[in-house]
Amino acid sequence: MEREQTFVMIKPDGVERGLVGEVLRRFEERGLELRALKFMEVSRALAEEHYGVHADKPFYPALIEYITSGPAVASVWEGPNAVEAVRATMGATNPAEAAPGTIRGDYCLHIDRNLVHGSDAPETAEREIALFFSDENR
Ligand code: IDP
Ligand code: MG
């Protein structure tokens, strides 16, 4: 299986609730390797760029408010099939439907506060890593 990298963000609710260590621990225990880690405020411009594909969705304005509502933690993880491994460890987008044992299934219940973001494909991961770890967003 090919090694790849993926981008993970612990969203502001995860930081606010003191779940940063728990979320990082789950990815580490899964065997993924931490390659970059940063505590940061996500600017409105960065949030809009990151979630650009959702710009025409009804939840978009609330999503931008959510992601910019407090500090977040950005990270890069590497391993075999890392994109899918992270998505499976996070659980379904809607926490109400996420399986117990997943991060979302264990720690949240509402789709508008789902704790964590993980890239959905290797190409997306490349774009998101470049975006969050570019010089101007350091
Ligand atoms: P993902 O985070 O699992 O990749 P996406 O469909 O890409 O899910 O949606 C991005 C984010 O937008 C979700 O993680 C969630 O925070 C938010 N979101 C998605 N769908 C809804 C919705 O129906 N209501 C409110 N927020 C939503
Ligand atoms: Mg997505």
Side-chain angles (χ1 to χ4, degrees):
M1 184 88 37
E2 211 180 317
R3 286 187 77 77
E4 63 187 18
Q5 291 194 337
T6 192
F7 173 72
V8 170
M9 173 170 46
I10 303 173
K11 296 177 177 181
D13 52 329
V15 174
E16 162 101 34
R17 293 174 58 195
L19 292 171
V20 173
E22 176 62 27
V23 172
L24 298 178
R25 185 186 66 76
R26 288 185 178 224
F27 293 126
E28 285 184 317
E29 285 195 341
R30 186 74 199 267
L32 291 155
E33 290 174 36
L34 184 61
R35 290 293 184 230
L37 183 66
K38 178 169 63 167
F39 181 83
M40 66 186 293
E41 304 271 352
V42 179
S43 69
R44 180 160 289 266
L46 178 57
E48 288 176 350
E49 176 107 42
H50 175 64
Y51 281 124
V53 293
H54 295 306
D56 52 4
K57 306 274 171 64
F59 59 81
Y60 178 75
L63 176 59
I64 299 303
E65 289 305 315
Y66 167 35
I67 294 305
T68 58
S69 66
V73 171
S75 60
V76 177
W77 296 84
E78 186 176 314
N81 205 24
V83 168
E84 278 307 315
V86 160
R87 299 274 300 184
T89 302
M90 291 194 316
T93 300
N94 185 350
E97 295 165 0
T102 64
I103 294 168
R104 285 163 170 167
D106 286 349
Y107 290 105
C108 45
L109 208 47
H110 296 282
I111 190 156
D112 53 358
R113 290 291 180 275
N114 64 357
L115 259 173
V116 66
H117 165 86
S119 308
D120 62 10
E123 307 73 50
T124 320
E126 216 170 291
R127 183 179 90 84
E128 293 175 348
I129 290 166
L131 195 55
F132 276 81
F133 289 92
S134 69
D135 285 340
E136 68 260 36
N137 290 319
R138 256 180 226 285

